[in-house]
Amino acid sequence: MGLFPENRKIDFLAQGRAGLDLYASEENTDFNDVLSFKKFVGGSPGNITAMMATLGRKTGLITKVSDDLIGKYVISYFDSIGSDTSQIIKDSSGSRTSLAITEMKPDNCGVIIYRNKASDQQLAPEEISEDYIGQAAGIVISGFALSEAPGRDSAIIAIEYAKRQGTTVILDLDYRPYSWRSDYEASIYMGIAAEKADILIGNDEEFAVLNKIMYPETVNDGKAAVKPWLDRGCSLVIYKQGGGKGALAIEKDGTEHEGRLYKVVLKKPFGAGDAFLGTTLHYLMKDGDVANAIDKGAAAASIVISRKSCSAASPTEKEINDFISTYK
Amino acid sequence: MGLFPENRKIDFLAQGRAGLDLYASEENTDFNDVLSFKKFVGGSPGNITAMMATLGRKTGLITKVSDDLIGKYVISYFDSIGSDTSQIIKDSSGSRTSLAITEMKPDNCGVIIYRNKASDQQLAPEEISEDYIGQAAGIVISGFALSEAPGRDSAIIAIEYAKRQGTTVILDLDYRPYSWRSDYEASIYMGIAAEKADILIGNDEEFAVLNKIMYPETVNDGKAAVKPWLDRGCSLVIYKQGGGKGALAIEKDGTEHEGRLYKVVLKKPFGAGDAFLGTTLHYLMKDGDVANAIDKGAAAASIVISRKSCSAASPTEKEINDFISTYK
Amino acid sequence: MGLFPENRKIDFLAQGRAGLDLYASEENTDFNDVLSFKKFVGGSPGNITAMMATLGRKTGLITKVSDDLIGKYVISYFDSIGSDTSQIIKDSSGSRTSLAITEMKPDNCGVIIYRNKASDQQLAPEEISEDYIGQAAGIVISGFALSEAPGRDSAIIAIEYAKRQGTTVILDLDYRPYSWRSDYEASIYMGIAAEKADILIGNDEEFAVLNKIMYPETVNDGKAAVKPWLDRGCSLVIYKQGGGKGALAIEKDGTEHEGRLYKVVLKKPFGAGDAFLGTTLHYLMKDGDVANAIDKGAAAASIVISRKSCSAASPTEKEINDFISTYK
Amino acid sequence: MGLFPENRKIDFLAQGRAGLDLYASEENTDFNDVLSFKKFVGGSPGNITAMMATLGRKTGLITKVSDDLIGKYVISYFDSIGSDTSQIIKDSSGSRTSLAITEMKPDNCGVIIYRNKASDQQLAPEEISEDYIGQAAGIVISGFALSEAPGRDSAIIAIEYAKRQGTTVILDLDYRPYSWRSDYEASIYMGIAAEKADILIGNDEEFAVLNKIMYPETVNDGKAAVKPWLDRGCSLVIYKQGGGKGALAIEKDGTEHEGRLYKVVLKKPFGAGDAFLGTTLHYLMKDGDVANAIDKGAAAASIVISRKSCSAASPTEKEINDFISTYK
């Protein structure tokens, strides 16, 4: 399908937060009774990178972490899975690596996020290398990175460099209300990024906020909310439908692919989106078969959500294939 | 030339700061020896609006002022010259109306600006009315307004509304280094706005900063710095050449118009750009004759720079014509 | 009365803001109709210093101004009246010299203050010289300087140095509600300073805020509000009674001096307090006669309030004596 | 020795941070290799409270936590050990409960602290109850709480209320350089608090910073650094000598008590100071025997430092006595 340029040294870069995730060791246990937390690397772009690296992709992260044991741990984790860490910058300004502490429950799962003066949002546009981006076939931008300056400015400049270098821009809307001043602000900056995206991914809430400024008449209107973006410049939009349905992928020429959902017993309610996206991108790059890509993505999402971590729970191609073939 | 839509209730809106200007009463006098300051309304968008209103245009300002005597004075001034003030919002958060205090010298003219927590930069995107913008044929956006959130977000959203409503977007780059975190930041946001502009105006320094990200190879390269913007979407770029030369206006089809400079005895070194732009826009809207428009603009610029204020010194059509006909 | 140490090189220092005052040239005129503003140096500590210098005292100011024409003007003004300016520090961090723009009316007189990131509040404790304070017989601390860090920390450290050096501490409560987070905060820090003060001056509102924490039962209770401070350590408290009455000065042994008010035709409602304090301190230092000092102070206050500026309107000893002798 | 008032409902209050501590489960293991962290409540005032509660004291905490699972856990922990939690306020402003993540090593033990917009420092003076403080015999103020407004203002007002209510003020200097703008600032505010303290505790570095303003000539001078505080108003100063020595307690009349150190095998290098202070205060309140109190305190300190947590590792009276009697 020609979504990606050929002959690039790196398959995928991701820009945005990568941090520390601490998951309760005890399942189905209230926070007060949890005795300990298991240590993982997390953050949406971090998880997506881990997913793609597990599937054999050459990856790299563009982000900032604190210059302390946690920041160094994050870097060492990506080193250990073969992801390039040359653009993970250490910051000593008093910022802190993004941190999430969670219970381990299938639903009503408590999560506490520490993101006051988060290191990833201190990434400045002067620190983004156009050459580095030009070495990649694709770059995943987290919409969340657009929520605060100068991280926001860095995401916008990375997209501009990518367009100039012919690197495919994948925008994961990744909208979290708590990180924006208002949904107006979110719509403006997600819109600026979405106009330049080649591949656009989001769910109902995310397209609703995105469209608030651009297509207010389509808010919360399913396909009507996502299709206009193909006219705006996207080659592919992937709409995570929710409500028991799978993903809907629509190509520029209008071809639609309705993906399925693989029902599993959840350990926790998060991790699905990142596994889905990392896997889908891997298979899209493999052979451009959209239907197959989102199907594999759905399987990976369900595998990860049935496990007790995210990055470290990323399945291999074999595990994905086995899961699908044995699924009832 | 078809630059503007027809049949709009308002000719021109301007968005950005309008504040208090206090000019030394005594000419050629050092600050310490100045006894008093004369009171005027100023701020680039405010001066441009005053210029256009003086030439008979129906105008309006979109901005924020402090809810105090100074803010009320600014509003009353625009009421008095017939400019619509319905979108000048009063702010009680502790912000202050932009203020400039200046000497009155032809060069080495001291200026002190008070813009810490300036009211105009508190304008929020939720406060911008798409309907109001849709009533105008053109909207002048000051690039300076892009230098700080949420004023920045409001300028971006105003441009988006203008594009949707078919209102012509005029971007006056208006770059002041002191108001930006870095020139990278300036380039990013001025670029986001410039991509949507129909008419783009700036000088060497301003195009250099704008192009830092977009066309780095053209920095400080005269025409090469401004022409690419016609490919990007502008219908008209006006390059204030400086160095003793007049303005250079280039149309989308490549037609160039080299404007002249009218030499005068300066009272002060500021005010020229705003008078130039307001006058040029007036004549462009009149009959689309670009060469005539920038010529009238150059005359107005020289008239204002030879007078001791800006907004209140805006010349009428008759004064401009008389100036040109008597010029040697 | 032994209020001050002998044989000091400097009579009085003042610590706190000194800035630019711009007073409307036209009397009894609404802001919108004012054509120009006259330039003076102002700010309560600045005015008190000008008053004392006019009466022949050796003075100095400890403060910060912006490193621009306005800051340099302020320094040059105090140089011109013979006040030591060695501890007026110029700041280039983007702060601005305190600025007040006013109408010129006897009442309902509009005032607009520009104090967002005011330079005087950027004064840091490391910048206070204990030796310099030790050269003075008395130091006037403006309670207003306690309203924001690090200016607050600098005022506290200046008081500590003064106590160590035997320099008399005069605390002018100078409470402006708009500059504090809450009256709790004001009470705490004004209290910390008042406990170390030798001479304490304030009005009803100011003692009410001060006592909120210390003597809540005395709030708004006239003499009961001020007397406890003599037990806390003050040698003299001066209570500006208001409501048509003059000042009430109470010495440590309980001796009370009821001052008078000199009725005059006001040009403006401000400037009285600073002229009163500067003059009272001058005469206290002269011969310790409290009754005479506050009487001379009341006269100076009325003279200044009947004139159209503050610092530049400071009367000489002769003018004060003539005023009193001709008063009916 | 009469250090505390009699017949109070509460024995000791503590004011300052109480938060989440996550200690590596694996001992002597580098952060990257740690698999999980054990969950405890921490923060110096929190640990001191836990120590005193374990020894049977009626305690209470005055602080702020975030209104989330972590804040609720902290409150539930103190409920569970019988400490009053009525003055632990939940904050929803986006602040976060103080958090420390640590390795578990006897030395070179890595610690990462998350305190950007820490909830405890959001405690405002209006939220401090004079009545509540008056119910206590003693209140432990953490000097760390003085490092940031408005927590700083709250600590100062709590001390003022305590003095008025006859509640004994114990100031634990608890100086952490990273939390202050400069050591000048630390000296000023620790000094303001120390002047009102009845019992003062600190080590060399802490007294050096405290004295920087007050007694600069005694900096780093052992006993000379701490004795002047007895003249200033303290009834008892406890100097944690370090360098292999125990604590030195000096009473107002000059009586000195040289405490010992109990050598143990460390699991971690922190927790000693809090256990020491909590225990010493308990025994001081019991019978006023200073020598015995600091001896018991030293034992508790060593017990806690040989265990793998702090609050939860607080020893009982029996454990302390057994430790001392079996110590070789």
Side-chain angles (χ1 to χ4, degrees):
Chain A
M1 190 195 165
L3 279 167
F4 304 101
E6 310 245 312
N7 301 320
R8 295 286 172 109
K9 282 180 52 177
I10 299 170
D11 295 321
F12 290 103
L13 294 175
Q15 183 161 330
R17 68 206 183 286
L20 180 63
D21 272 8
L22 296 170
Y23 297 145
S25 302
E26 299 87 355
E27 294 181 57
N28 297 307
T29 303
D30 291 336
F31 192 88
N32 285 0
D33 303 318
V34 169
L35 296 180
S36 70
F37 297 86
K38 292 187 175 170
K39 167 177 138 279
F40 300 99
V41 163
S44 200
N47 290 336
I48 293 167
T49 301
M51 184 67 249
M52 298 188 296
T54 302
L55 294 175
R57 287 295 167 194
K58 291 185 305 261
T59 58
L61 257 166
I62 301 172
T63 190
K64 219 168 206 180
V65 294
S66 44
D67 189 4
D68 57 24
L69 288 178
I70 294 180
K72 291 172 194 165
Y73 161 60
V74 170
I75 293 172
S76 80
Y77 170 76
F78 288 104
D79 282 335
S80 76
I81 64 169
S83 188
D84 182 70
T85 60
S86 65
Q87 307 298 305
I88 302 182
I89 302 170
K90 289 191 293 226
D91 177 67
S92 323
S93 73
S95 72
R96 288 291 179 266
T97 302
S98 191
L99 165 66
I101 302 176
T102 87
E103 293 175 321
M104 181 55 57
K105 296 175 178 171
D107 50 29
N108 294 324
C109 184
V111 180
I112 308 102
I113 313 255
Y114 277 74
R115 282 193 57 81
N116 284 327
K117 208 181 170 196
S119 306
D120 49 278
Q121 293 294 34
Q122 310 308 312
L123 187 65
E126 300 89 297
E127 296 175 312
I128 307 302
S129 162
E130 182 171 358
D131 278 354
Y132 185 70
I133 289 176
Q135 294 180 36
I139 180 167
V140 180
I141 302 285
S142 161
F144 185 101
L146 294 163
S147 61
E148 195 183 329
R152 166 186 296 169
D153 316 344
S154 304
I156 292 173
I157 210 180
I159 292 173
E160 184 59 32
Y161 288 159
K163 303 305 285 185
R164 273 222 290 266
Q165 296 289 329
T167 302
T168 301
V169 175
I170 302 110
L171 179 63
D172 179 12
L173 291 176
D174 195 19
Y175 173 68
R176 312 295 166 102
Y178 59 78
S179 59
W180 295 90
R181 200 184 57 81
S182 73
D183 53 359
Y184 268 82
E185 186 194 46
S187 189
I188 289 167
Y189 291 102
M190 281 163 55
I192 282 170
E195 289 187 330
K196 308 279 177 89
D198 299 298
I199 301 174
L200 182 60
I201 308 98
N203 59 27
D204 264 334
E205 181 191 22
E206 290 167 340
F207 275 101
V209 172
L210 173 64
N211 288 348
K212 192 182 176 82
I213 303 301
M214 294 294 192
Y215 304 101
E217 67 282 4
T218 69
V219 166
N220 288 323
D221 210 21
K223 271 193 284 189
V226 314
K227 282 184 122 170
W229 289 97
L230 295 159
D231 303 322
R232 272 262 178 172
C234 289
S235 301
L236 178 70
V237 294
I238 302 176
Y239 167 38
K240 299 188 286 187
Q241 301 184 88
K245 299 165 119 181
L248 172 67
I250 312 179
E251 303 187 45
K252 199 161 184 67
D253 64 7
T255 311
E256 295 185 13
H257 307 272
E258 181 88 31
R260 65 167 299 173
L261 217 60
Y262 288 94
K263 285 179 173 299
V264 288
V265 176
L266 271 64
K267 291 285 182 185
K268 64 194 196 306
F270 40 85
D274 301 335
F276 171 80
L277 182 55
T279 300
T280 298
L281 289 174
H282 163 70
Y283 283 99
L284 280 176
M285 181 170 278
K286 202 169 192 179
D287 57 26
D289 181 338
V290 177
N292 176 61
I294 64 174
D295 186 55
K296 294 291 188 351
S302 290
I303 292 170
V304 167
I305 214 166
S306 70
R307 293 177 174 176
K308 298 200 290 185
S309 66
C310 298
S311 53
S314 306
T316 59
E317 282 197 348
K318 182 179 190 314
E319 287 177 295
I320 292 171
N321 291 330
D322 288 350
F323 174 87
I324 292 174
S325 57
T326 59
Y327 182 80
K328 292 188 210 322
Chain B
M1 193 199 161
L3 279 167
F4 303 101
E6 310 245 310
N7 301 319
R8 296 285 172 110
K9 282 179 53 178
I10 300 171
D11 296 321
F12 290 104
L13 294 175
Q15 182 161 331
R17 68 207 184 286
L20 180 62
D21 271 8
L22 295 169
Y23 298 144
S25 302
E26 300 89 354
E27 294 181 56
N28 297 310
T29 304
D30 290 336
F31 192 88
N32 286 0
D33 303 318
V34 168
L35 296 180
S36 70
F37 296 87
K38 293 187 177 171
K39 168 178 137 278
F40 300 99
V41 162
S44 198
N47 290 335
I48 292 167
T49 301
M51 184 67 250
M52 299 188 296
T54 302
L55 294 174
R57 287 295 168 194
K58 289 180 310 248
T59 58
L61 256 168
I62 301 172
T63 191
K64 218 166 206 181
V65 293
S66 45
D67 188 6
D68 56 25
L69 289 178
I70 295 179
K72 290 171 194 164
Y73 160 61
V74 169
I75 293 173
S76 80
Y77 170 76
F78 287 104
D79 282 335
S80 76
I81 63 170
S83 188
D84 181 72
T85 61
S86 65
Q87 307 299 304
I88 302 182
I89 302 171
K90 289 189 294 225
D91 177 67
S92 324
S93 73
S95 70
R96 288 291 180 266
T97 301
S98 192
L99 165 65
I101 303 176
T102 87
E103 293 176 320
M104 182 55 56
K105 297 175 176 172
D107 50 30
N108 293 324
C109 183
V111 180
I112 309 103
I113 314 254
Y114 276 75
R115 283 192 58 79
N116 283 327
K117 211 184 168 193
S119 306
D120 48 277
Q121 292 295 35
Q122 311 308 315
L123 188 65
E126 300 88 298
E127 297 175 311
I128 308 300
S129 162
E130 181 170 359
D131 279 351
Y132 185 71
I133 289 176
Q135 294 179 37
I139 180 169
V140 181
I141 301 284
S142 160
F144 186 102
L146 294 162
S147 61
E148 196 184 329
R152 165 186 297 170
D153 315 343
S154 305
I156 293 174
I157 211 179
I159 293 173
E160 183 61 30
Y161 288 158
K163 303 305 286 182
R164 275 224 288 265
Q165 296 289 329
T167 301
T168 301
V169 175
I170 303 108
L171 178 64
D172 179 13
L173 291 177
D174 195 18
Y175 172 69
R176 310 295 166 104
Y178 59 77
S179 60
W180 295 90
R181 197 185 60 81
S182 72
D183 53 358
Y184 268 82
E185 186 194 47
S187 190
I188 290 168
Y189 291 102
M190 282 164 53
I192 283 170
E195 288 187 331
K196 306 281 177 89
D198 299 297
I199 301 174
L200 181 61
I201 308 96
N203 60 26
D204 262 335
E205 180 190 25
E206 289 166 343
F207 275 101
V209 172
L210 172 64
N211 288 348
K212 192 182 174 83
I213 302 301
M214 295 293 190
Y215 304 101
E217 65 281 7
T218 69
V219 166
N220 288 327
D221 211 22
K223 271 195 284 188
V226 315
K227 280 184 121 172
W229 289 96
L230 295 158
D231 303 324
R232 272 265 176 173
C234 290
S235 301
L236 178 71
V237 294
I238 303 175
Y239 167 37
K240 299 187 286 189
Q241 301 184 88
K245 299 165 119 183
L248 172 67
I250 313 179
E251 301 187 46
K252 199 165 183 66
D253 63 6
T255 312
E256 295 184 14
H257 306 274
E258 181 89 32
R260 65 166 299 173
L261 216 60
Y262 287 96
K263 284 181 172 299
V264 287
V265 176
L266 270 65
K267 290 287 182 185
K268 63 193 198 304
F270 41 86
D274 301 335
F276 171 80
L277 182 55
T279 301
T280 298
L281 289 174
H282 163 70
Y283 283 99
L284 280 177
M285 182 171 277
K286 201 169 196 180
D287 58 24
D289 180 338
V290 177
N292 176 60
I294 65 173
D295 186 53
K296 292 292 188 348
S302 290
I303 292 170
V304 167
I305 215 167
S306 70
R307 293 177 174 176
K308 298 201 290 184
S309 66
C310 298
S311 53
S314 305
T316 58
E317 282 199 348
K318 182 180 192 307
E319 286 177 295
I320 292 172
N321 291 331
D322 287 350
F323 174 87
I324 291 174
S325 55
T326 59
Y327 183 79
K328 292 186 208 323
Chain C
M1 193 199 163
L3 279 167
F4 303 100
E6 310 245 310
N7 301 321
R8 296 286 172 109
K9 282 179 52 178
I10 300 171
D11 296 322
F12 290 103
L13 295 174
Q15 182 161 333
R17 67 207 184 287
L20 180 63
D21 272 7
L22 296 169
Y23 297 145
S25 303
E26 299 88 355
E27 294 181 56
N28 296 310
T29 305
D30 290 338
F31 192 87
N32 285 0
D33 303 318
V34 168
L35 296 179
S36 70
F37 297 86
K38 293 188 177 169
K39 168 177 136 281
F40 301 99
V41 162
S44 198
N47 289 336
I48 293 168
T49 300
M51 184 68 250
M52 300 189 294
T54 302
L55 294 174
R57 287 295 169 193
K58 290 181 307 250
T59 58
L61 256 168
I62 300 173
T63 190
K64 219 166 205 181
V65 293
S66 44
D67 188 7
D68 56 24
L69 289 177
I70 294 179
K72 290 170 194 166
Y73 161 61
V74 169
I75 293 173
S76 80
Y77 170 75
F78 288 104
D79 282 335
S80 75
I81 62 170
S83 189
D84 181 72
T85 60
S86 65
Q87 307 299 303
I88 302 182
I89 302 170
K90 290 190 293 229
D91 177 67
S92 324
S93 73
S95 71
R96 287 290 179 267
T97 302
S98 191
L99 165 65
I101 302 176
T102 87
E103 293 176 321
M104 181 56 55
K105 296 175 176 172
D107 50 29
N108 293 324
C109 182
V111 180
I112 309 101
I113 314 255
Y114 276 74
R115 283 192 57 80
N116 283 328
K117 212 184 165 194
S119 306
D120 47 279
Q121 292 295 35
Q122 311 307 314
L123 187 65
E126 299 90 297
E127 297 175 311
I128 308 300
S129 162
E130 180 170 0
D131 279 350
Y132 185 71
I133 290 176
Q135 293 179 36
I139 179 168
V140 181
I141 302 284
S142 160
F144 186 102
L146 293 163
S147 61
E148 197 184 327
R152 167 186 296 169
D153 315 343
S154 305
I156 292 173
I157 211 179
I159 292 173
E160 183 61 31
Y161 288 158
K163 303 305 284 182
R164 275 224 289 265
Q165 296 289 329
T167 302
T168 301
V169 174
I170 303 107
L171 178 65
D172 179 12
L173 291 177
D174 195 19
Y175 172 68
R176 310 296 166 103
Y178 59 78
S179 60
W180 295 90
R181 196 184 61 81
S182 73
D183 53 0
Y184 268 83
E185 185 194 46
S187 189
I188 290 167
Y189 292 102
M190 282 164 54
I192 283 170
E195 288 187 332
K196 307 282 178 89
D198 299 296
I199 301 174
L200 182 61
I201 308 95
N203 60 26
D204 263 334
E205 181 190 25
E206 290 166 341
F207 275 101
V209 172
L210 172 64
N211 288 348
K212 192 182 175 83
I213 303 301
M214 294 294 191
Y215 304 101
E217 66 280 6
T218 69
V219 165
N220 288 327
D221 211 22
K223 270 193 288 187
V226 316
K227 280 184 120 172
W229 289 96
L230 294 158
D231 303 323
R232 272 264 178 173
C234 291
S235 301
L236 178 71
V237 294
I238 303 175
Y239 166 38
K240 299 187 285 187
Q241 301 184 88
K245 299 165 118 182
L248 173 68
I250 313 179
E251 302 186 46
K252 200 164 183 65
D253 62 8
T255 311
E256 296 184 13
H257 307 273
E258 181 89 31
R260 65 167 299 171
L261 216 60
Y262 287 95
K263 284 180 172 300
V264 287
V265 176
L266 271 64
K267 289 286 181 186
K268 63 192 198 305
F270 40 85
D274 301 334
F276 171 79
L277 182 55
T279 300
T280 298
L281 289 174
H282 163 69
Y283 283 99
L284 280 177
M285 182 171 278
K286 201 169 192 180
D287 57 24
D289 181 339
V290 177
N292 176 61
I294 64 173
D295 187 54
K296 293 291 189 350
S302 290
I303 292 170
V304 167
I305 215 166
S306 69
R307 294 177 172 175
K308 299 201 289 183
S309 66
C310 298
S311 53
S314 305
T316 59
E317 281 198 350
K318 183 180 191 310
E319 287 176 296
I320 293 172
N321 291 330
D322 287 351
F323 174 86
I324 292 174
S325 55
T326 59
Y327 183 79
K328 292 186 210 324
Chain D
M1 195 196 163
L3 279 167
F4 304 102
E6 310 244 311
N7 300 321
R8 295 287 173 109
K9 282 180 50 177
I10 300 170
D11 296 321
F12 291 104
L13 295 174
Q15 182 160 332
R17 68 205 183 286
L20 180 63
D21 272 7
L22 295 170
Y23 298 145
S25 303
E26 298 87 354
E27 295 182 56
N28 297 310
T29 304
D30 291 336
F31 192 87
N32 286 0
D33 303 319
V34 168
L35 296 179
S36 70
F37 297 87
K38 293 187 175 170
K39 166 179 140 278
F40 300 100
V41 162
S44 199
N47 290 335
I48 293 167
T49 300
M51 184 68 249
M52 299 189 295
T54 303
L55 295 174
R57 287 295 168 195
K58 290 184 306 258
T59 58
L61 257 167
I62 301 171
T63 190
K64 221 168 205 179
V65 293
S66 44
D67 189 4
D68 57 26
L69 290 177
I70 294 180
K72 291 172 193 165
Y73 160 60
V74 170
I75 293 173
S76 80
Y77 170 75
F78 287 104
D79 282 336
S80 76
I81 63 169
S83 189
D84 181 70
T85 61
S86 65
Q87 307 299 304
I88 302 182
I89 302 169
K90 289 190 293 228
D91 177 66
S92 324
S93 73
S95 71
R96 287 291 180 268
T97 302
S98 191
L99 165 65
I101 301 176
T102 86
E103 293 175 322
M104 182 54 58
K105 295 174 177 172
D107 49 31
N108 294 323
C109 184
V111 180
I112 308 100
I113 313 254
Y114 276 74
R115 282 193 58 81
N116 284 327
K117 208 181 171 195
S119 307
D120 47 277
Q121 292 295 35
Q122 311 307 314
L123 187 65
E126 300 88 300
E127 296 175 313
I128 308 302
S129 161
E130 181 170 359
D131 279 352
Y132 186 71
I133 289 176
Q135 294 179 37
I139 180 168
V140 180
I141 302 284
S142 161
F144 186 102
L146 293 163
S147 61
E148 195 183 328
R152 167 186 297 169
D153 316 344
S154 304
I156 292 173
I157 210 179
I159 292 173
E160 184 59 32
Y161 288 159
K163 303 306 284 182
R164 272 223 291 265
Q165 297 289 331
T167 302
T168 300
V169 174
I170 302 110
L171 179 63
D172 179 11
L173 291 176
D174 194 19
Y175 172 68
R176 312 295 167 102
Y178 59 78
S179 59
W180 295 90
R181 198 185 58 82
S182 73
D183 53 359
Y184 268 82
E185 184 193 48
S187 190
I188 289 167
Y189 291 103
M190 282 164 54
I192 283 170
E195 289 187 329
K196 307 280 178 91
D198 299 298
I199 301 174
L200 183 60
I201 308 98
N203 58 27
D204 264 335
E205 180 191 24
E206 290 167 341
F207 275 101
V209 171
L210 172 64
N211 288 348
K212 192 183 176 82
I213 302 302
M214 294 293 191
Y215 305 102
E217 66 281 4
T218 68
V219 166
N220 288 325
D221 211 23
K223 272 194 285 192
V226 314
K227 281 184 121 168
W229 288 96
L230 294 159
D231 302 322
R232 271 262 177 175
C234 290
S235 300
L236 178 71
V237 295
I238 302 176
Y239 167 38
K240 298 187 287 188
Q241 302 184 88
K245 300 165 120 184
L248 173 66
I250 313 179
E251 302 188 45
K252 199 163 183 67
D253 63 7
T255 312
E256 295 186 14
H257 307 273
E258 181 88 32
R260 64 167 299 174
L261 216 60
Y262 289 95
K263 285 179 173 298
V264 288
V265 176
L266 271 65
K267 292 284 183 185
K268 64 194 198 304
F270 41 84
D274 301 334
F276 171 79
L277 181 55
T279 300
T280 298
L281 289 174
H282 163 71
Y283 284 98
L284 280 177
M285 181 171 278
K286 202 169 191 177
D287 57 27
D289 182 339
V290 177
N292 177 61
I294 64 173
D295 187 55
K296 294 291 187 353
S302 291
I303 292 170
V304 168
I305 215 166
S306 70
R307 293 177 173 175
K308 298 200 291 184
S309 66
C310 298
S311 54
S314 306
T316 59
E317 280 196 349
K318 182 178 189 317
E319 286 177 294
I320 293 171
N321 290 332
D322 288 348
F323 174 88
I324 292 174
S325 56
T326 59
Y327 182 80
K328 291 188 210 320

